[in-house]
Amino acid sequence: MAKVMIFMDGSWLYSTVRFLGEDFQIDYGKLPVVLAKLLGRKMGGIPVDIVRTYMFGSNAINYQNSDEEMVKRRKVFYDILREEYGYQVEVFPVDYRGRRLRKKDRHPDDDFSPEEKSVDVALSANMLYYAALNSYDIALFLGGSRDYVPLLQKVRLLGKRVAIASIKGSCAFELLDNKDSKHVRDFDVIWLDDLTEDIKAVNEERYVECRSPMHEGPNPILTDEFVRKNRPFFCKECREKMRAQRYSYNDDEFDIENDFDDESFGNRIINAGDVYRGRIKRLMDFFGFIETPEGDFYFGMDDCAHGTDFYSMTEGTPVEFIVVNMPNKRLRGSRGNGKAEEVSVASNDESDFSEE
Ligand SMILES: [Zn+2]
């Protein structure tokens, strides 16, 4: 029996999966199993035990509201890995300081470039730590960046085997080199390109109930979308209505001159990722606003925590939530709203915010 730990460079994977085919979707439940089986075969048919699957990734904070869908898709992706497939996911924030995510959407004179820190350091620290603790026999690295060459070398110096899985066209030469002149691996590179039939997500159509009371037409509906086991399902039409209603309500045009920075933002007491508390101020059909001493936060019907029903809340309900974006007090009205997620009804009516 060989123990394998899988370390995935999530930022790399998220942006390179498209090389596997247009609209290709990986079945993240199957992926570790397929890779482990293949490793077992490469070692002469011995059974392989997957000790743990790590995914290290990043996501934007302090981005402009127009990019919310993009950020949300990535957040749901990480959540699904955690909740549905038991991955250990570590996500690091990338601060966009109120800007758009894509460079082409930013002001031409804006020389801002987002800094993705911590992902490679966290992956490396974990792979080395568990090697030193003898927690695995084989480190299976899924990625493609040459930045990991020193890491893979060191792990091998600790007597561990290293396997690399990657995608053609986005793998550094040092990793795929047939001669392995950098001594980074013990097996030929496993190409996901050759495994597409085994790791492809097949979403079969089935009937699922849309949980929005505003839903129109027959319900349940036929869908091939991924349905998360512990979350209410909202159909595409209802999600589109939510978006349309939100943007007609919330005009978020935003001038670069209005951009804020840490120094001038005042004594901020909350940060993205913090748990914060407030009261439901207003509820629309598909979204609502939370009032706090730091300003108002927007949240959608699909931003509620596991076990919290958006449609059971009323105005005045005390809630707790995770801060995605801070309110920007320089922007008037709804444009300056913050963004909340994992909203849940607070267990006790705590009105004293000074302890936060
Ligand atoms: Zn619906």
Side-chain angles (χ1 to χ4, degrees):
M1 171 77 79
K3 290 186 290 180
V4 61
M5 243 190 224
I6 303 178
F7 299 87
M8 300 186 182
D9 179 349
S11 303
W12 171 87
L13 187 57
Y14 199 85
S15 57
T16 55
V17 70
R18 63 199 157 89
F19 291 122
L20 295 177
E22 206 178 322
D23 295 328
F24 187 86
Q25 286 182 313
I26 292 177
D27 183 325
Y28 284 93
K30 289 181 192 160
L31 178 63
V33 181
V34 169
L35 293 174
K37 259 192 201 155
L38 202 68
L39 268 184
R41 242 181 281 149
K42 281 174 186 283
M43 292 192 303
I46 64 165
V48 170
D49 176 31
I50 305 170
V51 180
R52 199 170 294 154
T53 301
Y54 273 103
M55 166 77 83
F56 299 88
S58 62
N59 208 354
I61 58 166
N62 296 329
Y63 52 89
Q64 224 178 92
N65 286 345
S66 340
D67 288 328
E68 193 178 300
E69 272 309 300
M70 246 192 285
V71 176
K72 182 129 196 174
R73 271 202 301 275
R74 207 187 266 220
K75 178 203 175 305
V76 168
F77 167 69
Y78 292 131
D79 283 351
I80 288 173
L81 294 182
R82 286 191 188 100
E83 296 173 19
E84 314 281 334
Y85 299 124
Y87 282 42
Q88 184 141 343
V89 182
E90 294 192 19
V91 181
F92 297 90
V94 179
D95 193 340
Y96 278 77
R97 296 181 166 249
R99 290 169 172 85
R100 297 293 305 269
L101 298 190
R102 293 200 187 102
K103 190 165 175 53
K104 67 177 174 63
D105 295 330
R106 295 198 285 266
H107 196 279
D109 297 338
D110 188 354
D111 60 0
F112 172 80
S113 78
E115 285 180 65
E116 179 167 294
K117 290 180 191 156
S118 310
V119 170
D120 52 351
V121 176
L123 191 155
S124 304
N126 279 276
M127 193 190 283
L128 274 172
Y129 179 77
Y130 289 114
L133 280 183
N134 276 323
S135 304
Y136 61 78
D137 305 309
I138 309 165
L140 198 165
F141 169 69
L142 177 60
S145 164
R146 65 171 49 85
D147 293 349
Y148 292 101
V149 166
L151 166 71
L152 303 176
Q153 290 170 333
K154 291 291 185 301
V155 168
R156 294 189 70 236
L157 288 176
L158 283 168
K160 300 301 175 190
R161 289 190 174 99
V162 169
I164 297 174
S166 195
I167 294 175
K168 289 173 187 166
S170 35
C171 182
F173 176 76
E174 290 88 334
L175 303 182
L176 61 81
D177 176 14
N178 276 334
K179 292 190 181 123
D180 190 23
S181 22
K182 295 282 182 191
H183 310 296
V184 289
R185 56 185 161 79
D186 295 272
F187 309 91
D188 291 342
V189 174
I190 299 168
W191 296 110
L192 298 193
D193 314 61
D194 301 333
L195 300 170
T196 49
E197 282 311 307
D198 302 318
I199 60 170
K200 188 189 179 110
V202 184
N203 295 324
E204 278 163 14
E205 282 203 324
R206 65 237 178 279
Y207 284 96
V208 183
E209 191 189 347
C210 173
R211 300 298 293 274
S212 168
M214 310 299 159
H215 181 86
E216 285 167 8
N219 201 5
I221 59 149
L222 195 59
T223 179
D224 65 354
E225 286 184 57
F226 188 89
V227 178
R228 296 165 67 183
K229 65 182 174 205
N230 287 324
R231 305 278 172 150
F233 174 77
F234 297 105
C235 74
K236 211 171 173 181
E237 284 71 33
C238 286
R239 295 202 311 270
E240 266 158 23
K241 279 186 219 161
M242 172 177 79
R243 231 162 284 148
Q245 198 181 54
R246 195 236 165 137
Y247 288 119
S248 63
Y249 181 87
N250 188 6
D251 170 21
D252 68 354
E253 281 302 310
F254 192 131
D255 300 325
I256 196 82
E257 287 78 22
N258 272 329
D259 196 12
F260 56 87
D261 54 49
D262 288 339
E263 288 74 38
S264 59
F265 194 61
N267 297 320
R268 185 194 287 160
I269 59 162
I270 43 168
N271 290 295
D274 286 354
V275 177
Y276 201 47
R277 202 178 286 158
R279 245 172 237 286
I280 300 292
K281 181 183 187 179
R282 183 151 190 219
L283 287 170
M284 317 284 284
D285 290 348
F286 301 102
F287 61 88
F289 295 97
I290 302 165
E291 188 173 27
T292 82
E294 284 295 298
D296 293 349
F297 288 80
Y298 157 88
F299 71 110
M301 63 185 175
D302 54 353
D303 288 313
C304 291
H306 168 44
T308 295
D309 177 10
F310 175 82
Y311 293 100
S312 72
M313 292 194 249
T314 54
E315 281 162 23
T317 301
V319 289
E320 285 184 328
F321 58 90
I322 292 176
V323 175
V324 182
N325 270 352
M326 273 81 70
N328 186 345
K329 289 174 176 173
R330 289 190 184 180
L331 294 176
R332 288 204 184 80
S334 58
R335 292 193 300 156
N337 286 324
K339 171 81 176 67
E341 66 181 19
E342 301 294 327
V343 179
S344 64
V345 176
S347 47
N348 59 344
D349 186 356
E350 179 63 76
S351 54
D352 180 9
F353 288 94
S354 59
E355 285 172 13
E356 287 290 332

